[in-house]
């Protein structure tokens, strides 16, 4: 009998890649989607006929219980979140409700309906914030620098609490920045590659960014969902960092992206103070040693390959006349 998985946030970047991975492994895949006037399923349209979708959201306890009862999932991947760090300053209470308390609601639904189900919580490198050591690993103290980071720390520890208090197979994946052609346009990497494509095709003439010297550990989302799955195949639940172990600046990202289409980023990039955060996170660099040794996981796509993949996808999209598509 096929394993059953429930993915919250299935319409997002990570959710779509994870759904593909699980379908390829023979899973029966269920997804939680929010009720919307115009459902946004662009990232999963190509596999929609192979999925079972349930309407619900992390702010609504009843819908989570219903989704668990309907799916009877063996594995639950919580990828849903208010995931925009910048927006978390504008809507801090809502961010805390979804990204913090929402995890508790989902864990409670699992505990009451099917406590043997295995649970994956999408934690984040933003929990480290003002970093206490470089590189950051599973034992590095958290010091979040945004309402988003704070809410995710709550989500991390409530997952740990349910694991220790109820013996649930509940694990946290501390994922560093991971991108792809399916990344939302509001994220800086996709903002860069989308605008590079528009500039190359004569549809725009400049790119406004914040801190060009901000450093991040960027990997490919398709690689990182493999780690999520591997975590839930372990006999014992645990927490793992997913990262490349390399750091690059926003400036480097721009240099490669513009260079890929034969342009010099200096001619087009303008620094705009509006895009500088109230409390900036300057350096995030992960140590994936534990994931490599215990799970046998490693990222396969290099930084340059990732940037060029995203630029090529945006070029193709704009050239085909689909400027609004997510990817």
């Amino acid at each position: 009998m096929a394993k059953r998985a429930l993915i919250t946030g299935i319409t997002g970047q990570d959710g779509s890649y994870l759904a593909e991975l699980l379908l390829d492994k023979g899973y029966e895949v269920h997804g939680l989607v929010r009720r919307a006037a115009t459902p946004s399923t662009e990232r999963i349209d190509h596999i929609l006929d192979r999925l079972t979708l349930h309407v619900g959201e992390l702010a609504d306890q009843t819908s989570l219980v219903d989704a668990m009862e309907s799916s009877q999932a063996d594995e639950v991947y919580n990828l849903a979140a208010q995931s925009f760090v910048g927006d978390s300053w504008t809507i801090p209470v809502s961010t805390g409700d979804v990204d913090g308390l929402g995890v508790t609601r989902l864990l409670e639904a699992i505990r009451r309906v099917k406590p043997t189900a295995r649970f994956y919580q999408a934690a984040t490198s933003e929990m480290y914030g003002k970093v206490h050591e470089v590189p950051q690993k599973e034992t590095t103290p958290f010091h979040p620098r945004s309402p988003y980071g704070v809410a995710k720390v709550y989500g991390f520890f409530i997952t740990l609490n349910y694991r220790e208090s109820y013996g649930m197979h509940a694990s946290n994946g501390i994922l560093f920045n991971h991108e792809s052609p399916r990344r939302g346009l509001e994220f800086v990497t996709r903002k860069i590659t989308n605008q590079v494509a528009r500039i190359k095709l004569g549809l725009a003439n400049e790119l406004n960014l914040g801190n060009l010297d901000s450093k991040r550990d960027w990997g490919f989302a398709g690689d990182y969902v493999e780690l999520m799955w591997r975590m839930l195949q372990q006999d014992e639940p645990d927490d793992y960092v997913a990262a490349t172990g390399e750091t690059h600046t926003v400036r480097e990202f721009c240099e490669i992206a513009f260079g890929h289409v034969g342009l010099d980023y200096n001619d087009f990039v303008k620094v705009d103070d509006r895009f500088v955060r109230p409390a900036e996170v300057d350096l995030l660099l992960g140590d994936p040693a534990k994931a490599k040794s215990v799970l046998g996981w490693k990222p396969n796509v290099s930084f340059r390959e990732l940037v060029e993949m995203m630029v090529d996808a945006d070029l193709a999209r704009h050239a085909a006349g689909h400027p609004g598509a997510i990817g």
Side-chain angles (χ1 to χ4, degrees):
M1 186 175 173
K3 275 190 182 177
R4 292 183 295 272
L6 173 64
I7 305 171
T8 72
I10 194 169
T11 59
Q13 168 188 255
D14 293 6
S16 63
Y17 281 113
L18 179 61
E20 289 174 346
L21 176 79
L22 296 178
L23 286 171
D24 287 346
K25 292 182 180 296
Y27 278 66
E28 178 184 308
V29 179
H30 296 253
L32 190 76
V33 294
R34 297 178 67 189
R35 167 63 65 216
T38 53
S40 176
T41 58
E42 294 103 313
R43 296 184 182 92
I44 55 171
D45 278 344
H46 62 296
I47 53 172
L48 208 49
D49 60 338
R50 301 169 65 194
L51 305 172
T52 303
L53 300 182
H54 307 266
V55 174
E57 53 186 276
L58 294 182
D60 186 85
Q61 181 77 60
T62 304
S63 67
L64 300 178
V65 171
D66 288 346
M68 276 304 298
E69 287 180 339
S70 299
S71 66
Q72 287 296 311
D74 302 299
E75 298 173 4
V76 180
Y77 297 85
N78 184 34
L79 310 185
Q82 192 300 97
S83 57
F84 312 132
V85 177
D87 284 356
S88 76
W89 292 102
T90 309
I91 49 171
V93 175
S94 173
T95 300
D97 185 43
V98 172
D99 297 4
L101 290 175
V103 185
T104 314
R105 295 186 189 104
L106 185 52
L107 283 164
E108 267 299 290
I110 295 168
R111 187 175 75 87
R112 291 172 183 276
V113 176
K114 192 173 181 180
T116 57
R118 298 186 172 195
F119 177 73
Y120 171 87
Q121 165 60 12
T124 169
S125 57
E126 290 286 334
M127 299 188 303
Y128 297 120
K130 187 175 181 180
V131 300
H132 289 225
E133 64 179 346
V134 179
Q136 293 89 53
K137 47 186 181 285
E138 292 80 6
T139 54
T140 302
F142 299 139
H143 191 149
R145 300 268 280 174
S146 66
Y148 169 75
V150 172
K152 282 292 193 174
V153 169
Y154 179 101
F156 177 94
F157 280 116
I158 200 67
T159 298
L160 182 64
N161 270 254
Y162 271 67
R163 179 166 85 213
E164 294 178 347
S165 302
Y166 298 117
M168 292 172 66
H169 195 296
S171 301
N172 289 285
I174 308 171
L175 271 59
F176 280 66
N177 294 64
H178 47 290
E179 320 295 316
S180 76
R182 299 179 191 175
R183 190 59 142 154
L185 289 165
E186 52 285 342
F187 290 91
V188 67
T189 52
R190 184 67 194 291
K191 179 180 177 181
I192 293 169
T193 63
N194 182 61
Q195 200 69 348
V196 164
R198 296 183 73 235
I199 289 170
K200 180 62 177 177
L201 296 171
L203 302 171
N205 52 29
E206 69 176 26
L207 168 60
N208 293 298
L209 294 172
N211 183 9
L212 296 184
D213 297 314
S214 183
K215 295 178 180 177
R216 291 291 183 274
D217 184 325
W218 277 302
F220 173 50
D223 287 340
Y224 285 41
V225 298
E226 170 83 22
L227 175 132
M228 300 176 188
W229 174 77
R230 289 190 181 212
M231 284 173 59
L232 296 200
Q233 310 318 304
Q234 302 304 302
D235 291 337
E236 297 298 327
D238 206 347
D239 308 317
Y240 296 89
V241 162
T244 67
E246 296 178 9
T247 186
H248 300 276
T249 62
V250 174
R251 191 184 305 278
E252 284 179 80
F253 199 106
C254 289
E255 195 172 1
I256 293 174
F258 278 95
H260 187 53
V261 296
L263 299 174
D264 183 342
Y265 82 96
N266 290 296
D267 297 334
F268 304 97
V269 174
K270 305 285 189 294
V271 175
D272 188 331
D273 290 341
R274 289 178 303 160
F275 299 114
V276 177
R277 296 174 188 168
E280 185 59 81
V281 175
D282 294 316
L283 173 60
L284 289 175
L285 173 62
D287 180 359
K290 181 178 174 182
K292 287 181 177 179
S293 63
V294 178
L295 305 177
W297 174 86
K298 69 178 190 305
N300 295 309
V301 177
S302 73
F303 178 66
R304 177 174 292 276
E305 288 170 336
L306 173 65
V307 178
E308 293 180 349
M309 172 203 304
M310 292 175 68
V311 171
D312 287 341
D314 278 327
L315 270 174
R317 192 169 50 82
H318 281 289
H322 302 298
I326 292 173

